[in-house]
Amino acid sequence: NVIKVTKKRKSLKIQAVEYKGGKCERCNYNKSVNALHFHHRDPNEKDFGIGQSGYTRSWDKVKEELDKCILVCANCHAEIHEELL
């Protein structure tokens, strides 16, 4: 059921944001869960994207992936990627 999957994904995102501290690690932004992203410190270690559409995973698998990431807002995430170029 699409609605159940959507609710599960949103619930996991909220849980993941809380697990990573609930705010951007660079600027402390914390207003919208949707504006917070998980940035992999080392892209070579990335097994899957946390917010990847179409996938639901166990909390244990999500935590393993989150431990490879920092939590940043959309603006800081864009700046990080710009700095990497």
Side-chain angles (χ1 to χ4, degrees), residues 18-30:
E18 289 172 359
Y19 177 75
K20 293 302 287 181
K23 63 185 177 182
C24 176
E25 292 183 29
R26 284 177 53 145
C27 74
N28 294 321
Y29 173 89
N30 67 354

Side-chain angles (χ1 to χ4, degrees), residues 12-84:
L12 272 175
K13 171 80 184 259
I14 291 167
Q15 191 175 1
V17 167
E18 289 172 359
Y19 177 75
K20 293 302 287 181
K23 63 185 177 182
C24 176
E25 292 183 29
R26 284 177 53 145
C27 74
N28 294 321
Y29 173 89
N30 67 354
K31 293 178 184 174
S32 169
V33 170
N34 292 327
L36 291 168
H37 299 175
F38 304 100
H39 174 75
H40 283 80
R41 287 183 205 95
D42 181 351
N44 296 319
E45 292 181 3
K46 182 177 181 174
D47 290 325
F48 62 90
I50 304 294
Q52 211 167 358
S53 295
Y55 297 100
T56 55
R57 302 182 192 275
S58 72
W59 177 239
D60 287 339
K61 284 283 185 198
V62 171
K63 278 197 311 188
E64 283 179 29
E65 202 63 24
L66 287 170
D67 289 342
K68 304 173 190 176
C69 300
I70 59 171
L71 181 65
V72 290
C73 70
N75 285 338
C76 287
H77 198 192
E79 290 173 6
I80 289 168
H81 280 276
E82 197 169 287
E83 290 163 8
L84 293 173

Side-chain angles (χ1 to χ4, degrees), residues 1 7 9 27 51 66 72 85:
N1 185 328
K7 284 183 180 182
R9 222 179 268 130
C27 74
L66 287 170
V72 290
L85 296 177

